[in-house]
Amino acid sequence: MKHPRAFERIFQHVTAITWVSMFLGFALTGWIVWLGLISWSVVEAYQLSKIVHANGTTIGSESLLRRIIKLTLAISFIFTYGLFWWNDRGSEERGSHPRTIMRTLPIWKKLQEYFPINLVLCEDIMDVNPSVESARSVQTAKHQPGKETVVPCNPSLFPTNLNYLVGYHPHGIFGVGAFVNFATEANQFSTLFPGLKPWITTLPINFKAPFHRDFLMSF
C-alpha cells in the first residue's frame, strides 16, 4: 500500500506546484506569448515582403510557402482573438463565462487533498432530520474513506432567487481555500448548496492579461 499512497502524494504535490506556478506566472506568460506572437508576425511579414519583392511575383521555394502559411495563421489568430477580446471586455463584471468542465476537473480534487481543504456546513444550516447528532455524524463521514455521504444545506434558508455575499478571511496571498471551495467542485459546492452559482471576486488587473483572463472567467 505504500507505493500507491506515495504516488498519490506526489501527484498532489505536482498539482499544488502547478497551481501556484499558474497563479504567479500565467498572466505574465500570457503577455509574453501575445506580444511575442505579434512581434514575430511583424518581423516575419517584413522579411517575407523583402523576399517577395526581390523575386517579383514568384513565391519560390516550398519553405517560403510554409512561412507564408504560418504567418497567415498567426495573423488570423491575432485578429480573431483581438476581436473577441475587444467585444468581450467587461464580461468579468457580468457573470463571466463559467464552464462546468473547468469546475469539475480531477486536478482540483488533488489540490484539495494536498492541504487538505474542507467545506464544512454548520449544524444550523444542514438539511438533516431528525437530530443534530445525526447531522454531525453524516457530515463527519464525508471525510472518511469509502462512500461519501453529503448533507446539503437547508434550501429554505438559501432561496435561489436571491444573491448572497460570502466573506473569506484571511485568504492569504493565493486564496487557495476560496478557490477550491467556491470556484471548483472539489468539495461538492453544488451538492451542498443546490441551485446556487458561486463567483469569486478578484482584482480587476487579473482580467487584463490575454488568455489568463479567459482562464479565470471559465470558473
Side-chain angles (χ1 to χ4, degrees):
M1 293 296 293
K2 285 186 177 180
H3 295 295
R5 289 185 179 181
F7 178 77
E8 188 78 7
R9 193 57 180 165
I10 291 173
F11 192 16
Q12 293 169 5
H13 276 79
V14 171
T15 303
I17 293 172
T18 301
W19 188 86
V20 171
S21 301
M22 291 174 61
F23 185 94
L24 295 175
F26 198 167
L28 179 60
T29 302
W31 277 117
I32 292 175
V33 171
W34 179 247
L35 296 178
L37 186 60
I38 294 176
S39 300
W40 176 85
S41 299
V42 171
V43 173
E44 186 72 357
Y46 175 72
Q47 292 178 347
L48 288 176
S49 66
K50 290 177 62 177
I51 295 174
V52 173
H53 179 73
N55 297 335
T57 57
T58 304
I59 293 180
S61 66
E62 183 178 345
S63 61
L64 180 60
L65 179 60
R66 286 198 296 267
R67 289 177 63 181
I68 294 176
I69 293 175
K70 289 180 181 179
L71 177 61
T72 302
L73 292 175
I75 293 176
S76 299
F77 175 78
I78 292 171
F79 177 79
T80 302
Y81 184 78
L83 184 62
F84 164 76
W85 191 359
W86 176 261
N87 290 331
D88 195 54
R89 65 191 188 282
S91 291
E92 65 274 10
E93 299 178 358
R94 300 191 299 270
S96 65
H97 309 296
R99 299 287 185 268
T100 301
I101 189 173
M102 290 297 293
R103 291 180 55 86
T104 57
L105 287 176
I107 58 174
W108 308 135
K109 186 61 179 177
K110 298 305 174 185
L111 182 62
Q112 176 267 332
E113 293 172 349
Y114 170 79
F115 289 94
I117 298 169
N118 296 318
L119 181 57
V120 181
L121 302 187
C122 65
E123 297 164 351
D124 294 338
I125 66 173
M126 284 184 177
D127 188 18
V128 177
N129 288 310
S131 67
V132 171
E133 287 300 319
S134 63
R136 183 184 294 110
S137 63
V138 176
Q139 180 68 15
T140 303
K142 174 186 172 184
H143 308 295
Q144 302 300 323
K147 186 178 180 180
E148 292 186 349
T149 303
V150 181
V151 181
C153 70
N154 186 341
S156 64
L157 298 177
F158 300 96
T160 56
N161 62 329
L162 299 178
N163 294 323
Y164 305 92
L165 181 63
V166 178
Y168 188 92
H169 178 79
H171 60 69
I173 298 175
F174 298 105
V176 63
F179 174 81
V180 168
N181 279 332
F182 304 114
T184 78
E185 291 297 327
N187 279 327
Q188 305 182 68
F189 178 91
S190 296
T191 302
L192 292 172
F193 296 91
L196 299 183
K197 295 182 179 180
W199 282 271
I200 295 181
T201 58
T202 184
L203 298 174
I205 195 173
N206 288 327
F207 298 100
K208 304 302 181 183
F211 314 123
H212 181 250
R213 66 180 295 276
D214 305 297
F215 173 75
L216 292 180
M217 289 197 293
S218 65
F219 291 95

